[in-house]
Amino acid sequence: MYAREYAKKPPRVKGVSIYRPFIFGSIAKPIDEAHRPPNISPEHTHTWTVFVRGVEGEDISYWLKKVQFKLHETYSQSIRTIEAPDAFEVTETGWGEFEVMIKLYFVPEANEKSQTLWHALKLHPYGPDAEKQKENKEPIVSQNYEEIVFNEPVEQFYDILTSGPVPVRGKGGSKGSKQAAFKKQSERSAEIPHADSADNPYSRETEGKELDRISEARKQVDQMIKEEREKVTKRESVLEELRKSVGPVPKGK
């Protein structure tokens, strides 16, 4: 009887979670008829790009190997795979909005399964400034901030993550020293920037403003509820006075 050999699982760095932020989304712009690209359908109204990028342009290819974009089935080669070092993006033209499936594949050292995201491609502006944006033919940007969390990464991938674009002090040595080095940055290994920039609308400053707006909206809702309750109380009081003035209703014989 032959002994069955099992592949030895790579050791992991226990008790450690590493966060890696990124942005995914799209940017679309109406086609300028004066400079319309040749060989595109006359029905197409916009040029658009769907993408996965690092926050503030940070390189993410040290942990992300390739990205697969699944477009609407009406496009030829509706599944597009972009592999590093190329930018993780696809540019096309079209006339309709649809959902794009985005699949992230990590570098081989990660020993992690791929992850799937969905993005709704936007070609047209929405909201109170929609007409102004249309008139000015402004680009329509629709993007989301996201974080990948690697829980207890394998040691080789841990080395890659912690020695990426931002060098980390204390790298090297035994597994114990690696964990000790990481302890200094365990809260977040890639913080959201403090302030906005032209390339990145996501920041702690923006987050604070959004929380303030939510708090103000809650106050307004609480005030509206209070006013409605006061109205109900007044109506019930008037109804009770009417009942007293009318007196008891005689029972029928």
Side-chain angles (χ1 to χ4, degrees):
M1 192 171 182
Y2 294 97
R4 183 177 293 177
E5 293 185 1
Y6 294 92
K8 187 178 180 180
K9 292 183 178 181
R12 293 183 174 270
V13 182
K14 300 295 183 180
V16 165
S17 293
I18 297 184
Y19 300 77
R20 282 295 174 265
F22 64 96
I23 294 169
F24 71 98
S26 61
I27 182 169
K29 192 172 184 179
I31 293 174
D32 183 355
E33 292 301 328
H35 302 89
R36 188 179 183 85
N39 304 321
I40 68 168
S41 170
E43 297 178 346
H44 288 190
T45 58
H46 290 73
T47 298
W48 53 261
T49 299
V50 61
F51 58 81
V52 175
R53 296 171 180 167
V55 175
E56 292 192 308
E58 182 187 77
D59 177 24
I60 58 176
S61 64
Y62 68 99
W63 57 266
L64 186 62
K65 179 177 175 60
K66 62 182 179 181
V67 177
Q68 186 182 87
F69 300 92
K70 186 176 182 182
L71 313 180
H72 194 272
E73 59 186 12
T74 53
Y75 284 90
S76 61
Q77 296 181 334
S78 59
I79 297 178
R80 314 281 179 92
T81 302
I82 311 299
E83 191 165 344
D86 293 338
F88 300 124
E89 60 183 44
V90 169
T91 299
E92 268 289 357
T93 61
W95 58 266
E97 300 179 335
F98 57 91
E99 274 200 314
V100 181
M101 187 180 80
I102 302 173
K103 206 164 187 178
L104 308 179
Y105 292 88
F106 307 112
V107 294
E109 295 86 352
N111 199 32
E112 299 278 354
K113 294 180 179 179
S114 61
Q115 293 196 21
T116 302
L117 306 168
W118 291 90
H119 173 69
L121 176 67
K122 283 180 60 178
L123 303 184
H124 308 287
Y126 298 92
D129 297 328
E131 291 304 319
K132 183 180 178 182
Q133 286 181 288
K134 283 182 181 179
E135 186 179 343
N136 296 336
K137 295 184 178 180
E138 296 177 14
I140 308 304
V141 179
S142 174
Q143 59 184 8
N144 298 280
Y145 174 92
E146 187 59 86
E147 289 180 344
I148 292 286
V149 182
F150 299 104
N151 289 315
E152 298 189 346
V154 298
E155 288 188 355
Q156 189 177 6
F157 189 44
Y158 173 89
D159 287 339
I160 291 172
L161 289 172
T162 55
S163 61
V166 182
V168 177
R169 292 182 181 180
K171 180 184 173 295
S174 65
K175 182 163 63 175
S177 65
K178 291 176 184 177
Q179 290 175 327
F182 184 77
K183 191 173 181 181
K184 295 180 181 179
Q185 60 172 27
S186 59
E187 291 183 4
R188 284 295 167 95
S189 57
E191 291 277 2
I192 301 175
H194 176 73
D196 297 351
S197 67
D199 296 327
N200 177 46
Y202 301 101
S203 67
R204 281 174 283 174
E205 194 175 76
T206 305
E207 187 177 53
K209 290 178 181 178
E210 188 64 26
L211 289 172
D212 289 342
R213 282 194 289 268
I214 292 171
S215 178
E216 186 60 33
R218 283 177 175 170
K219 289 178 183 177
Q220 292 177 10
V221 171
D222 289 342
Q223 182 62 31
M224 291 169 65
I225 292 172
K226 181 181 177 181
E227 291 173 0
E228 289 301 317
R229 283 175 176 168
E230 288 175 353
K231 289 178 184 178
V232 171
T233 301
K234 288 180 181 178
R235 287 169 186 163
E236 288 177 345
S237 179
V238 170
L239 183 59
E240 184 63 26
E241 290 296 325
L242 287 172
R243 284 174 180 159
K244 289 179 180 178
S245 65
V246 171
V249 179
K251 296 182 180 179
K253 294 181 180 180

